[in-house]
Amino acid sequence: MRRLNVPLIAAMAVALPSLVANAAGPLVDIRSVDPTIIVELRYSERNNLVGYPLYPRGTCALARPQVASGLAAAQAFLRRYQFGLKIWDAYRPVAVQEKLWHASRNSDYVANPEIGVGSLHSWGVAVDATLVDTWNRPVPMPSDFDDFTPAAMWRYVGPHADVRAHVHLLQIAMRTAGFWGLRTEWWHFTIADWQKYLPNQAARTAQVSGTQWQGKL
């Protein structure tokens, strides 16, 4: 399993002196754990919330080793049903989170990096994921990435049976692999024991209810 140190990750992600990763522990390239997982980092392209790339082209999807192992388990589960994972985002530098916050100013969806624990993406314990079919093609899901409308809610209430089946399968796969979902974003998942990766005081400020992480993007 290939490990990357924080200074290297920071230099790779954003060339800003102010970039400091919350994720002080080791991070790994998700595809070094399971190369069959598709990675399409939406913040490496223009098709995202801010409308321009926030990561350099070729940036890897990084996460804590346990998160990457969990994604490999979810991928194995999905392969039995002729589906697979696509990762839209994983570890997110605080400097990038700041740009997202300033672009949205919507605390219902985007975490203010200066308040509480900020985004769990910046701790390396959260990912944004969707499904692809056996040919790695996108399948119908409730919404696109970073959709701040009711369509993005965890519980799909739309009329399409195939969409309902797809999002439910993704949720089951991720739950089986040890992840919790987010009420307002069907694509967001956090490793269940995320607390152990945060300082004690920071972990106590975060609120969890049932099996759903009650945090922000």
Side-chain angles (χ1 to χ4, degrees):
M1 183 180 294
R2 180 159 57 92
R3 296 178 183 271
L4 303 176
N5 61 36
V6 172
L8 177 60
I9 294 164
M12 177 191 69
V14 180
L16 290 174
S18 62
L19 176 60
V20 177
N22 282 339
L27 300 176
V28 299
D29 180 346
I30 291 168
R31 296 195 77 244
S32 73
V33 178
D34 188 337
T36 71
I37 295 174
I38 303 302
V39 171
E40 182 185 302
L41 296 183
R42 293 290 288 271
Y43 298 130
S44 290
E45 55 187 69
R46 296 181 181 275
N47 185 19
N48 61 52
L49 171 64
V50 298
Y52 59 86
L54 293 170
Y55 302 154
R57 185 182 299 275
T59 295
C60 299
L62 305 173
R64 301 278 185 168
Q66 183 183 351
V67 173
S69 296
L71 293 174
Q75 180 79 339
F77 180 96
L78 290 168
R79 285 305 188 197
R80 302 204 298 266
Y81 298 92
Q82 305 301 308
F83 289 93
L85 286 174
K86 177 189 283 187
I87 302 302
W88 277 334
D89 200 25
Y91 165 73
R92 182 187 304 157
V94 175
V96 172
Q97 184 66 24
E98 290 173 348
K99 291 179 182 293
L100 293 174
W101 168 247
H102 289 301
S104 68
R105 296 288 183 176
N106 185 342
S107 60
D108 289 335
Y109 292 93
V110 180
N112 184 339
E114 297 180 359
I115 297 178
V117 300
S119 172
L120 290 188
H121 281 282
S122 298
W123 297 91
V125 297
V127 297
D128 296 326
T130 186
L131 288 185
V132 293
D133 66 16
T134 191
W135 293 281
N136 295 329
R137 300 175 304 192
V139 301
M141 297 298 277
S143 72
D144 196 5
F145 180 57
D146 279 4
D147 184 321
F148 299 162
T149 72
M153 298 294 286
W154 172 268
R155 201 174 293 277
Y156 177 70
V157 295
H160 304 292
D162 58 339
V163 173
R164 183 177 298 106
H166 292 157
V167 72
H168 189 53
L169 178 62
L170 175 62
Q171 291 167 350
I172 292 173
M174 296 298 280
R175 182 185 66 196
T176 301
F179 291 88
W180 288 341
L182 177 62
R183 181 181 59 83
T184 55
E185 297 172 4
W186 61 261
W187 58 81
H188 179 97
F189 298 91
T190 302
I191 199 70
D193 60 351
W194 56 270
Q195 294 102 323
K196 75 180 186 181
Y197 298 105
L198 278 66
N200 290 337
Q201 181 58 38
R204 285 194 293 269
T205 67
Q207 301 296 317
V208 174
S209 175
T211 59
Q212 295 182 350
W213 159 250
Q214 303 297 306
K216 307 285 173 32
L217 168 69

